[in-house]
Amino acid sequence: MTETFTPGGKCGECNEYDEPDVSEAIEVTAADLPLFCPRPDAPLWARHPRVYLEVVTGGDVVCPYCSAHYVFHGAPPKGH
């Protein structure tokens, strides 16, 4: 029998069963903009195509690839 490894998790963060943990939001600030996923610290196995996410307008956003939930905190950057 051959096992198939399917990476999961929030762009590099996973629970003990290697499944996405969408219960915790990733807090971002103006210093993290433009926001993209996966984040630079994600391990190689958790990478997916880079997608830029608009988090300022709605206050939060979910990555369409890995379901990571990002929440914006603080003042919006000037010019937005």
Side-chain angles (χ1 to χ4, degrees), residues 3 37 48 56 75:
E3 290 186 54
C37 191
H48 56 67
V56 176

Side-chain angles (χ1 to χ4, degrees), residues 1-73:
M1 179 189 324
T2 305
E3 290 186 54
T4 303
F5 179 75
T6 304
K10 299 186 309 186
C11 299
E13 299 176 19
C14 59
N15 61 24
E16 62 184 317
Y17 303 107
D18 198 33
E19 297 172 351
D21 181 6
V22 294
S23 63
E24 292 186 34
I26 302 167
E27 295 184 9
V28 294
T29 64
D32 298 309
L33 300 178
L35 177 62
F36 59 88
C37 191
R39 302 302 300 157
D41 57 346
L44 186 59
W45 63 264
R47 301 286 174 137
H48 56 67
R50 180 176 284 186
V51 59
Y52 288 89
L53 304 168
E54 174 55 52
V55 69
V56 176
T57 305
D60 69 331
V61 67
V62 175
C63 175
Y65 283 98
C66 66
S67 300
H69 181 211
Y70 296 94
V71 177
F72 184 78
H73 287 280

